[in-house]
């Protein structure tokens, strides 16, 4: 009897397939008419699909694609990794390279560099340029950008994110998404949420209070959804409230979809799904990579055995679950397909165009941060007969390969040495090179090979001796070092072991500083590093991972073709113990005795980054927002257009900024707000607005920054509500979080 009922139910599930094929010849297909409203098209397509077809489109069919509905002419959905360039294609069921000759790309600077521009226009340019490359390659979804907050300088994936401040990340992610999606390519903003370290990323259960969650870790995701209209979001690997974040009811259903009204698709991270029932009920829409060895997973078709594949169908067939959740998931995926793969006017894509290389260079130029310039050692003015020495492995090592899923197959990559050499030679200067240290000599990731042979069998003492000997005869020495994208450094699935530079670089830099007073240190990294030699080095430059145009951007800044205007998107501590998570022993967590779960409590709460250093009065090595220029700027006295604010009100601050130097440049005006007398603990100050202004020598501009009453609020977890207490507030304005030039007091009535 039971068997007979099951057969009848399966027949009922299959019947719409035959009916749909028959009806499709007579009933107009609204979903194929791009002039009809999107929601109407989605509902029409959904009404024509069988249960099996709905199941099919909510899980992968290959490493990076999910099936469409061939019977209805609905195409497949193709994803690819970002967010710094379009990843090369792999085989259908394996991570091995597909061996194509047309899947190289322009490598754009890492997102730490983009954030360091403090320029939303650069974010829009970045997104559109990447979208054009993805469109040319036939990609519908780019897995990025990342907006997880910089909580610890050891996180191996910080280079993919936008820094420690939720306001900065929010303002930079929105135009990136808009630029990308203007090409008919969906952003998949990641990793939602609380994915702030790579060690134990699959087993970490984050313990964080609601105030911290809403004030620090959610705002950039919320802006991506409510302002950027992101078409998809990727869940994180870790757990929150003992539920994996790829199927976490509170995060996905309650916050993302109900509170924020997200209409898009929640995509699992590859292998981030763990349970069919939770995936059904808790908001996951599209499952990828649960078994990343594809068809070789011990079954005839591993994709049909995904959690949201045949197991889901079987639960429906047995009557254990209904189809309401399935319809919602399929509806969202159909909407995504119609916005991307079925978009009738996505525009034309282009691959490896000179416009894209120019965009990469412009972003790199604007994101490089001048940290120190004692005695105006920079810019270097190359001249006939000048002898320049470049030292360091990072001056020659390709950085577009490695680091995890953001690894790229760049069409070309200009190294720092080549960029410096080319720029210097145009002025008659000569450039010599010394290795200085040996780090990671490998050059391969996921089948993409750099072709570099960086082996060097000399001892560290021999390498240092050579560098110092050459330095004594050079007019200027440029050391290019830092981190790389190897495991245990700036790399997915691993964290750093400490704040210090690897491979004995501190010894090299110290020796060079003793050998020459004309030393420039260029640090290439996506993370803060310790600099015990900082006071002995006259010039320090933070250069990030700059992609295809790395060497040219570094040369632009070092030689003064570009006046640096980048600002740090995160704090550089003097010691690891100064940073909040490490000062409180709140990393990497405590393993449970009875399982593999690691409980990680965010003990620092809302005091993340500069909020911690300012409130606790700890002097950093380089503060959030810090960055120097080759010119000087003067801030005048700030004024406000009103002294009193009321509910749902705005106030505009105006500050005159003058370029008092001898060359054109750009300054970032940063506005922080303090609430000195509040009934709850609040940070010493919080970034609430910023604006980048370009000025000719002697020019003055009035810079205006407007904030809303909502910018004065804190999250009251008990009431589940944002609260602004009446009273006096202080607006502090300056070029860095530790360099306030002018303040204005105002009241909230």
């Amino acid at each position: 009897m039971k068997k007979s009922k099951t057969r009848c139910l399966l027949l009922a599930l299959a019947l719409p397939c035959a009916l749909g094929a028959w009806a499709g010849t007579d009933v107009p297909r609204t979903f194929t008419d791009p002039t009809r409203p999107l929601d109407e098209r989605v509902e029409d397509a959904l009404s024509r699909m069988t249960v099996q077809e709905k199941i099919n489109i909510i899980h992968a069919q290959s490493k990076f694609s999910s099936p469409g509905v061939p019977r209805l002419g609905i195409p497949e959905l193709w994803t690819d990794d970002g967010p710094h360039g379009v990843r090369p294609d792999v085989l259908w069921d394996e991570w091995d390279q597909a061996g194509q000759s047309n899947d190289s790309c322009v490598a754009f600077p890492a997102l730490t560099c983009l954030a360091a521009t403090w320029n939303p226009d650069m974010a829009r340019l970045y997104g559109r340029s990447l979208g054009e490359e993805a469109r040319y390659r036939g990609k519908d979804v780019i897995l990025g950008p990342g907006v997880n907050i910089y909580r610890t300088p050891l996180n191996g994936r910080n280079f993919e994110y936008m820094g420690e401040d939720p306001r900065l990340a929010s303002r930079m992610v929105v135009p990136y998404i808009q630029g990308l999606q203007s090409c008919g390519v969906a952003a998949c903003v990641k990793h939602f949420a609380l994915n702030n370290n790579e060690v134990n990323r699959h087993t970490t259960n984050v313990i964080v209070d609601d105030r911290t969650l809403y004030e620090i870790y959610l705002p950039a995701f919320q802006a991506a959804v409510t302002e950027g209209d992101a078409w998809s979001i990727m869940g994180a690997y870790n757990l929150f409230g003992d539920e994996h974040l790829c199927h976490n009811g509170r995060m996905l259903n309650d916050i993302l979809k109900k509170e924020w009204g997200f209409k898009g698709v929640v995509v699992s991270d590859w292998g981030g799904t763990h349970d069919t029932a939770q995936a059904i009920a808790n908001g996951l829409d599209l499952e990828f990579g649960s078994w990343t060895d594809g068809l070789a997973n011990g079954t005839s078709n591993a994709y049909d055995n995904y959690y949201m594949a045949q197991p889901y169908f079987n639960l429906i067939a047995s009557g254990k679950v209904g189809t309401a959740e399935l319809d919602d998931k399929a509806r969202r995926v159909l909407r995504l397909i119609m916005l991307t793969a079925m978009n009738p006017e996505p525009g034309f894509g282009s691959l490896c165009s000179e416009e894209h290389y120019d965009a990469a260079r412009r972003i790199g130029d604007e994101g490089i941060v001048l940290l120190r310039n004692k005695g105006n050692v920079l810019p270097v003015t190359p001249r006939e007969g000048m002898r320049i020495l470049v030292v360091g492995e990072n001056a020659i090592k390709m950085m577009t390969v490695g680091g995890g899923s953001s690894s790229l197959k760049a069409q070309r990559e200009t190294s720092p040495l080549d960029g410096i050499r080319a720029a210097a030679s145009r002025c008659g200067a000569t450039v010599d090179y010394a290795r200085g240290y040996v780090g990671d000599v490998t050059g391969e990731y996921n089948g993409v090979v750099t072709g570099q042979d960086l082996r060097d069998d000399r001892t560290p003492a021999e390498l240092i001796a050579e560098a110092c000997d050459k330095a004594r005869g050079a007019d200027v020495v440029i050391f290019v070092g830092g981190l790389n994208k190897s495991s245990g450094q700036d790399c997915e699935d691993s964290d750093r072991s400490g704040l210090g530079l690897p491979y004995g670089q501190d010894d090299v830099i110290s020796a060079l500083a003793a050998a020459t007073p004309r030393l420039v240190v260029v640090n290439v990294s996506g993370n803060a590093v310790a600099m015990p030699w900082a006071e002995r080095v006259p010039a320090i430059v933070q250069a990030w991972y700059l992609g295809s145009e790395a060497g040219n951007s570094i040369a632009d800044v070092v030689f003064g073709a570009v006046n640096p205007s980048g600002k740090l998107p995160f704090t550089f501590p003097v010691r690891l113990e100064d940073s909040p998570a490490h000062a409180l022993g709140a990393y990497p967590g405590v393993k449970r005795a009875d399982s593999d779960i690691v409980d990680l409590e965010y003990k620092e709460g809302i005091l993340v980054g500069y909020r911690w250093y300012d409130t606790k009065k700890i002097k950093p090595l380089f503060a959030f927002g810090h960055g120097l220029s080759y010119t000087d700027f003067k801030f005048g006295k700030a004024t406000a257009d009103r002294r009193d604010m009321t509910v749902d009100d705005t106030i505009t601050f105006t500050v005159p900024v003058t370029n008092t130097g001898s060359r054109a440049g750009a300054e970032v005006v940063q506005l922080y707000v303090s609430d000195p007398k509040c009934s709850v603990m609040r940070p010493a100050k919080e970034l609430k607005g910023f604006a980048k202004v370009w000025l000719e020598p002697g020019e003055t501009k009035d810079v205006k920054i407007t904030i809303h009453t909502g910018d004065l609020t804190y999250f009251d977890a008990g009431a589940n509500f944002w609260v602004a207490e009446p009273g006096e507030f202080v607006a502090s304005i300056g070029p860095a979080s530790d360099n306030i030039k002018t303040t204005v007091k105002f009241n909230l009535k």
Side-chain angles (χ1 to χ4, degrees):
M1 188 68 178
K2 184 183 293 184
K3 188 173 183 180
S4 175
K5 284 183 177 179
T6 302
R7 287 185 63 191
C8 290
L9 181 55
L10 289 173
L11 179 61
L13 293 171
L15 185 59
C17 180
L19 291 176
W22 172 79
T25 60
D26 297 315
V27 180
R29 294 186 175 188
T30 301
F31 75 88
T32 62
D33 182 357
T35 66
R36 306 299 292 246
L38 177 61
D39 290 344
E40 184 179 323
R41 294 172 60 205
V42 168
E43 292 304 321
D44 178 62
L46 186 68
S47 70
R48 299 171 184 272
M49 293 170 61
T50 68
V51 170
Q52 184 64 65
E53 287 170 337
K54 294 172 185 177
I55 290 287
N56 290 347
I57 68 169
I58 65 170
H59 66 82
Q61 65 173 358
S62 74
K63 278 286 186 288
F64 283 100
S65 72
S66 61
V69 187
R71 179 181 65 83
L72 297 176
I74 296 174
E76 301 166 324
L77 190 71
W78 281 89
T79 72
D80 209 342
D81 274 311
H84 309 136
V86 186
R87 184 176 179 170
D89 290 324
V90 298
L91 296 174
W92 189 266
D93 297 311
E94 302 171 20
W95 287 114
D96 295 338
Q97 292 294 298
Q100 296 178 357
S101 60
N102 62 346
D103 61 348
S104 297
C105 69
V106 172
F108 297 94
L111 290 189
T112 43
C113 177
L114 176 61
T117 69
W118 289 61
N119 185 350
D121 290 339
M122 286 294 104
R124 190 177 304 277
L125 173 67
Y126 195 125
R128 179 157 189 89
S129 301
L130 177 60
E132 289 172 351
E133 299 237 332
R135 173 51 54 207
Y136 186 93
R137 290 269 304 278
K139 307 302 180 184
D140 303 306
V141 181
I142 283 293
L143 306 176
V147 291
N148 293 98
I149 292 296
Y150 187 111
R151 178 177 180 260
T152 163
L154 302 188
N155 181 13
R157 217 163 179 180
N158 277 335
F159 73 97
E160 290 189 46
Y161 302 140
M162 295 188 181
E164 71 187 25
D165 183 74
R167 177 56 59 97
L168 175 61
S170 296
R171 299 282 58 82
M172 296 300 289
V173 73
V174 169
Y176 179 113
I177 293 168
Q178 292 169 338
L180 179 66
Q181 294 185 168
S182 71
C183 302
V185 177
C188 187
V189 186
K190 61 186 187 183
H191 301 88
F192 189 65
L194 302 168
N195 190 174
N196 307 110
N197 52 273
E198 288 295 290
V199 63
N200 305 321
R201 63 178 179 167
H202 294 279
T203 56
T204 291
N205 177 56
V206 173
I207 301 169
V208 61
D209 63 89
D210 277 5
R211 182 182 176 194
T212 300
L213 177 69
Y214 275 85
E215 291 190 21
I216 303 296
Y217 296 102
L218 293 185
F221 287 104
Q222 183 175 6
V225 170
T226 60
E227 298 178 54
D229 187 27
W231 295 340
S232 61
I233 293 280
M234 180 184 287
Y237 280 132
N238 50 299
L239 300 89
F240 169 59
D242 283 331
E243 280 188 349
H244 282 280
L245 281 157
C246 282
H247 36 70
N248 187 293
R250 185 177 178 213
M251 293 295 289
L252 302 182
N253 286 337
D254 297 343
I255 295 176
L256 179 63
K257 293 182 176 179
K258 293 178 182 176
E259 287 187 25
W260 300 347
F262 179 60
K263 294 182 178 180
V265 172
V266 175
V267 180
S268 74
D269 204 341
W270 271 232
T273 311
H274 302 272
D275 183 88
T276 298
Q278 290 185 27
I280 293 171
N282 291 348
L284 179 63
D285 300 313
L286 182 55
E287 178 187 1
F288 271 101
S290 290
W291 296 282
T292 52
D293 52 353
L295 301 181
N297 196 53
T299 65
S300 60
N301 188 343
Y303 299 107
D304 283 345
N305 287 278
Y306 272 28
Y307 293 101
M308 293 215 303
Q310 195 63 36
Y312 192 174
F313 185 90
N314 292 342
L315 288 175
I316 294 174
S318 66
K320 293 181 179 178
V321 299
T323 58
E325 295 93 346
L326 176 60
D327 283 349
D328 181 66
K329 298 175 195 300
R331 180 180 290 112
R332 290 171 181 272
V333 173
L334 285 170
R335 182 177 184 271
L336 180 60
I337 292 173
M338 290 181 186
L339 287 167
T340 57
M342 292 181 69
N343 188 333
E345 296 180 350
F348 292 100
S350 57
L351 187 67
C352 298
S353 68
E354 287 308 310
E355 289 81 3
H356 293 168
Y357 281 108
D358 179 67
R361 187 167 180 171
R362 288 174 59 193
I363 295 163
D365 285 353
E366 200 167 321
I368 290 174
V369 182
L370 179 60
L371 296 177
R372 178 176 167 86
N373 194 22
K374 186 177 180 181
N376 294 323
V377 171
L378 290 175
V380 174
T381 304
R383 62 184 185 277
E384 186 75 32
M386 174 180 273
R387 295 164 299 174
I388 299 171
L389 175 66
V390 176
V391 182
E393 181 175 282
N394 281 4
I396 59 173
K397 183 177 176 63
M398 285 184 65
M399 292 294 187
T400 56
V401 175
S405 59
S406 63
S407 179
L408 298 171
K409 180 181 172 183
Q411 183 191 50
R412 70 175 191 243
E413 178 180 348
T414 302
S415 71
L417 177 61
D418 286 344
I420 290 169
R421 184 166 276 158
S425 66
R426 290 192 288 269
C427 301
T430 60
V431 177
D432 196 5
Y433 174 72
R435 182 66 175 269
Y437 69 94
V438 177
D440 180 9
V441 299
T442 62
E444 186 272 339
Y445 184 83
N446 189 216
V448 177
V449 180
T450 65
Q452 291 185 301
D453 185 357
L454 299 180
R455 290 174 295 178
D456 195 317
D457 296 329
R458 289 176 291 174
T459 66
E462 290 172 327
L463 293 168
I464 291 175
E466 179 200 41
C468 289
D469 184 57
K470 290 186 175 184
R472 295 184 186 97
D475 294 302
V476 65
V477 178
I478 303 171
F479 176 86
V480 185
L483 307 180
N484 57 42
K485 292 184 178 179
S486 303
S487 180
Q489 297 200 48
D490 283 330
C491 185
E492 181 182 0
D493 204 23
S494 64
D495 283 351
R496 300 163 64 196
S497 60
L499 192 64
L501 287 173
Y503 315 126
Q505 292 178 76
D506 288 339
D507 293 336
V508 184
I509 296 170
S510 296
L512 289 172
T516 176
R518 299 171 301 278
L519 176 62
V520 178
V521 170
V522 178
N523 182 64
V524 176
S525 74
N527 256 311
V529 300
M531 297 182 179
W533 33 261
E535 291 298 322
R536 289 174 283 148
V537 173
I540 305 173
V541 174
Q542 177 61 31
W544 319 111
Y545 299 112
L546 298 174
S548 289
E549 292 291 302
N552 291 326
S553 286
I554 289 172
D556 285 345
V557 169
V558 167
F559 292 136
V562 166
N563 191 349
S565 63
K567 300 283 187 174
L568 288 179
F570 53 77
T571 306
F572 273 57
V574 175
R575 309 173 306 148
L576 182 63
E577 296 78 11
D578 291 343
S579 59
H582 300 275
L584 299 174
Y587 169 92
V590 179
K591 185 178 179 298
R592 294 180 187 175
D594 57 345
S595 74
D596 292 330
I597 299 299
V598 176
D599 287 318
L600 176 55
E601 183 178 0
Y602 285 17
K603 296 179 182 179
E604 69 280 8
I606 60 172
L607 297 183
V608 175
Y610 69 90
R611 290 167 168 80
W612 167 267
Y613 294 91
D614 287 352
T615 304
K616 299 295 184 181
K617 295 181 170 55
I618 300 171
K619 184 175 176 58
L621 179 64
F622 297 110
F624 172 80
H626 171 75
L628 305 177
S629 171
Y630 295 151
T631 190
D632 297 306
F633 299 98
K634 179 182 178 181
F635 282 61
K637 182 175 177 57
T639 58
D641 65 348
R642 66 186 63 190
R643 180 169 177 80
D644 297 324
M645 293 179 70
T646 57
V647 176
D648 196 21
D649 201 356
T650 61
I651 183 171
T652 298
F653 300 92
T654 302
V655 57
V657 180
T658 303
N659 182 346
T660 60
S662 59
R663 60 177 296 170
E667 180 61 288
V668 178
V669 180
Q670 303 165 36
L671 186 149
Y672 298 83
V673 171
S674 307
D675 184 1
K677 296 180 180 180
C678 186
S679 63
V680 300
M681 189 279 294
R682 302 198 72 172
K685 59 178 178 289
E686 299 175 274
L687 182 72
K688 295 300 180 182
F690 61 89
K692 197 163 195 175
V693 58
W694 279 261
L695 297 167
E696 295 294 327
E699 184 180 12
T700 299
K701 287 183 180 178
D702 286 339
V703 179
K704 297 181 182 295
I705 301 176
T706 300
I707 65 172
H708 184 268
T709 309
D711 295 318
L712 310 181
T713 61
Y714 65 88
F715 187 76
D716 186 330
N720 195 41
F721 199 75
W722 291 90
V723 175
E725 294 182 349
E728 186 177 77
F729 289 79
V730 180
S732 301
I733 301 171
S737 62
D738 67 341
N739 190 11
I740 300 304
K741 299 295 187 181
T742 179
T743 61
V744 179
K745 295 180 180 180
F746 62 100
N747 297 307
L748 177 64
K749 293 285 188 179

